[in-house]
Amino acid sequence: MDAAYIGFGSNIGDRLKHIQSAIHALSKTEGIAVKEISSVYKTDPVGYEAQSEFLNGVVAIQTSLPPLSLLHTLKDIETAVGRQHRIRWGPREIDLDLLIYGDLCVQTEKLVIPHPEMHLRGFVLVPLAEIAPNLVHPVCQESIQTLLERLEDDKSAFKTTLTLCS
């Protein structure tokens, strides 16, 4: 079994219900064991900003699925939860991103691990640092906590407002 980290987000409809449904589906998938779930944070949208706030977080899993199979499983769960594809970085019922898979570095047309922009996104680093601060980013070769601290030091890059969701 390999450790993997999945970012989740939702900004349409019953956001918390979409997230809970996705995590429940993950936990019921053969070859996946959910190990830890971060807090859920309200965050400002990134990229396409004319949309509602997101709820974001990260889930740690152990998996026997190979990376590409895990990616397909995540896409199947998104569909099952009701995701409609609209515009890039646009509103979505649920988004599941494979952030890190063990210490693998993969770059193919269909899959890039670690997620190529995760080290620049507060909405990923804050919940990931909550559950795995000492996890080392396989490309940057720095801990998640160090990457978060660097991002927080660069106020121009840190545009995400993070608050614990009650």
Side-chain angles (χ1 to χ4, degrees), residues 32-163:
I32 295 176
V34 171
K35 293 299 181 182
E36 194 166 3
I37 304 167
S38 74
S39 299
V40 177
Y41 296 86
K42 287 183 182 176
T43 65
D44 292 334
V46 173
Y48 177 69
E49 296 180 4
Q51 59 183 317
S52 301
E53 283 183 323
F54 277 83
L55 295 184
N56 286 103
V58 172
V59 59
I61 65 168
Q62 289 285 320
T63 185
S64 60
L65 300 177
L68 194 54
S69 294
L70 179 57
L71 176 66
H72 291 308
T73 298
L74 297 179
K75 297 307 167 195
D76 289 345
I77 290 171
E78 286 179 348
T79 300
V81 172
R83 177 157 182 183
Q84 302 292 313
H85 290 279
R86 295 169 181 86
I87 60 172
R88 182 171 169 85
W89 293 324
R92 59 206 90 154
E93 291 79 7
I94 190 68
D95 188 30
L96 299 172
D97 288 328
L98 180 52
L99 303 173
I100 291 180
Y101 186 107
D103 59 359
L104 287 181
C105 295
V106 175
Q107 189 157 1
T108 69
E109 188 176 309
K110 294 182 180 186
L111 180 62
V112 178
I113 303 172
H115 190 285
E117 297 174 354
M118 66 175 279
H119 64 288
L120 302 173
R121 294 180 170 171
F123 67 87
V124 172
L125 293 178
V126 168
L128 185 53
E130 177 187 329
I131 63 174
N134 298 318
L135 177 68
V136 174
H137 187 289
V139 173
C140 300
Q141 290 298 304
E142 294 183 302
S143 74
I144 298 304
Q145 185 64 45
T146 299
L147 292 172
L148 176 60
E149 289 167 3
R150 181 172 299 115
L151 188 62
E152 288 176 333
D153 286 345
D154 181 1
K155 297 300 182 195
S156 65
F158 196 77
K159 296 179 182 175
T160 305
T161 304
L162 298 163
T163 51

